[in-house]
Amino acid sequence: MPSRLNRRDFVLTGAAAAALGLAPRAEGAPAVLQNKFRPVVISSANGNKYTHDGQETCVARAFRLMTGGSDVLEALIAGVNIVELDPRDTSVGYGGLPNAEGVVQLDSCCMHGPKKRAGGVAALEGVRTPSRVAHAVLQNTDHHLLVGAGAQRFARQMGFTVEEDLNTETSRRLWLEWKRRLDPEHFLDPEKRAQSGFEAGRSMVRDGLIDPAHYFGTINCDGVNAKGEICGVTTTSGLAWKIPGRVGDSPILGAGLYVDGDVGAAGSTGRGEANLYGLCSYLIVEQLRQGKSPKDAGMEALRRVKANTIEKRLLDPKGTGNPKFGLNFYVVNKAGEFAGVSMYESDYAVCTENGPETRKTESLIPGPEPTW
Ligand code: ASP
């Protein structure tokens, strides 16, 4: 059984690094000082968690393909396919937690910096790899976003296998448990129903049935190659137990992902509604354009989200005035400088010539997300 590739195995030899046109990267040295464009792939933490055949994670596969000459976006999509197809990640693709009616609805979008093209799908049912359908929208249509039944029909026309149901035994069992915890008498009152649905979900996190990262949960993956070509992709099953038809930030250009081929890329995971309100990925790329570092650009977006969070139901019950949700951004500029930033302490994944790593994000608010 092949063992998972570790960082030491991955670190490029001098010859391989030379083939990529790279000088060995001194720890902490700005990429621009040594090479103009430093290849890097950055993603949410699940991009360095799940492996294909026990070997490569998403960021490692994407980096290998990208530095081997593949189109950057194709390499990133091949990376996120690992997570989409892995039923252990119940926040993405096959086995993602379903909506309130028990139906798995998936969202994804992708952007190609050099080609200046984009594609997305929302509320897509029956296809395990929505990122590939989003890519097909980018490649084969004049449109940027297909939703629901239209997206599914398009996927079928493009030759994708469309399945009846993307639930796994685990996601179905968890949905049934959620239903069981929901007081049916509250279905009569939309406001109370929303609150009781939220409470039922939180109690499942408290009871250890769902990883909080999978209640929300997504993968965003962005990369830049040695030629400075930047692309990105985001894919998700969205918010667990959402109202059928709910679309979060993930498939929305400018929210769940934004790429400007001349500047950089940003993408998100976490509470989609908070990000949608401010189109933060677009905001971050605009901050990069004005010369901010990836970290400072990301922090600016988090500060805006915090300032826009005024409703009591969204605030930390301890009265700190801080949001009670998590939101993360993954940011890379054209030079290959990158940052993972978040509202509360969190992790992200990155792969450079030094191999795949999971790192701590820079958080706006110190400490972990308020307890559920
Ligand atoms: N942002 C996704 C959504 O709101 C979920 C997540 O990333 O946690 O659909």
Side-chain angles (χ1 to χ4, degrees):
M1 183 76 179
S3 66
R4 183 171 155 178
L5 214 60
N6 62 29
R7 277 194 73 208
R8 203 188 42 210
D9 296 336
F10 192 96
V11 171
L12 291 179
T13 62
L20 280 174
L22 301 175
R25 189 194 291 229
E27 200 62 50
V32 273
L33 293 183
Q34 299 183 37
N35 290 89
K36 204 166 173 212
F37 305 121
R38 176 68 72 170
V40 62
V41 171
I42 181 172
S43 85
S44 39
N46 46 359
N48 197 32
K49 185 166 179 193
Y50 302 99
T51 55
H52 176 65
D53 287 345
Q55 290 208 57
E56 275 182 326
T57 59
C58 162
V59 287
R61 178 191 274 184
F63 188 84
R64 175 177 59 78
L65 293 174
M66 185 181 86
T67 52
S70 287
D71 174 78
V72 177
L73 185 55
E74 283 173 21
L76 299 175
I77 289 174
V80 299
N81 287 166
I82 294 175
V83 186
E84 290 178 319
L85 293 171
D86 194 324
R88 289 172 299 176
D89 192 317
T90 55
S91 73
V92 179
Y94 174 59
L97 294 176
N99 66 22
E101 286 171 4
V103 178
V104 179
Q105 290 188 325
L106 304 175
D107 300 334
S108 179
C109 73
C110 59
M111 293 185 78
H112 198 292
K115 291 184 184 160
K116 300 205 183 292
R117 297 198 65 149
V121 287
L124 170 65
E125 296 176 15
V127 182
R128 294 184 183 204
T129 52
S131 64
R132 294 183 55 210
V133 185
H135 194 215
V137 172
L138 175 152
Q139 286 178 305
N140 299 296
T141 78
D142 177 44
H143 308 318
H144 283 161
L145 182 60
L146 297 181
V147 306
Q152 191 190 58
R153 198 172 307 122
F154 170 77
R156 200 176 270 118
Q157 287 163 348
M158 292 292 115
F160 286 89
T161 302
V162 177
E163 299 172 66
E164 193 53 44
D165 188 359
L166 292 186
N167 277 291
T168 55
E169 278 318 302
T170 305
S171 65
R172 198 186 321 282
R173 181 175 49 76
L174 291 169
W175 175 75
L176 275 170
E177 178 64 22
W178 176 75
K179 273 290 200 202
R180 193 182 64 72
R181 290 178 185 218
L182 206 59
D183 183 348
E185 111 195 351
H186 289 146
F187 273 78
L188 298 175
D189 180 331
E191 223 168 86
K192 281 190 185 155
R193 179 190 174 241
Q195 191 53 27
S196 91
F198 187 62
E199 285 306 325
R202 282 178 12 147
S203 71
M204 291 178 72
V205 173
R206 274 196 302 268
D207 292 352
L209 289 168
I210 321 177
D211 179 343
H214 291 190
Y215 188 68
F216 285 100
T218 295
I219 183 164
N220 161 250
C221 188
D222 312 298
V224 52
N225 68 8
K227 290 190 252 173
E229 294 172 331
I230 313 161
C231 295
V233 59
T234 301
T235 175
T236 190
S237 52
L239 175 66
W241 333 132
K242 59 196 172 187
I243 293 176
R246 177 266 188 187
V247 171
D249 56 335
S250 305
I252 304 300
L253 306 177
L257 174 70
Y258 195 71
V259 177
D260 184 317
D262 301 323
V263 177
S268 66
T269 62
R271 184 178 152 77
E273 282 71 10
N275 179 20
L276 267 172
Y277 192 80
L279 291 179
C280 295
S281 291
Y282 183 77
L283 170 67
I284 291 169
V285 173
E286 285 306 300
Q287 302 283 310
L288 293 178
R289 191 193 307 280
Q290 286 161 26
K292 281 215 171 99
S293 70
K295 178 190 153 193
D296 291 348
M299 285 296 177
E300 175 61 27
L302 289 165
R303 274 193 292 274
R304 296 254 187 120
V305 170
K306 185 170 176 293
N308 283 333
T309 306
I310 57 168
E311 281 185 72
K312 190 159 175 263
R313 69 190 174 92
L314 297 172
L315 295 173
D316 179 356
K318 281 197 273 255
T320 57
N322 292 326
K324 73 171 178 192
F325 51 80
L327 184 61
N328 296 21
F329 296 109
Y330 314 95
V331 190
V332 63
N333 67 16
K334 198 173 168 79
E337 294 163 323
F338 58 85
V341 301
S342 53
M343 192 63 81
Y344 292 97
E345 285 170 4
S346 184
D347 297 325
Y348 73 105
V350 66
C351 191
T352 62
E353 72 273 18
N354 296 325
E357 286 175 74
T358 303
R359 294 189 182 186
K360 295 276 168 225
T361 55
E362 305 273 351
S363 69
L364 182 68
I365 302 168
E369 207 178 309
T371 9
W372 286 53

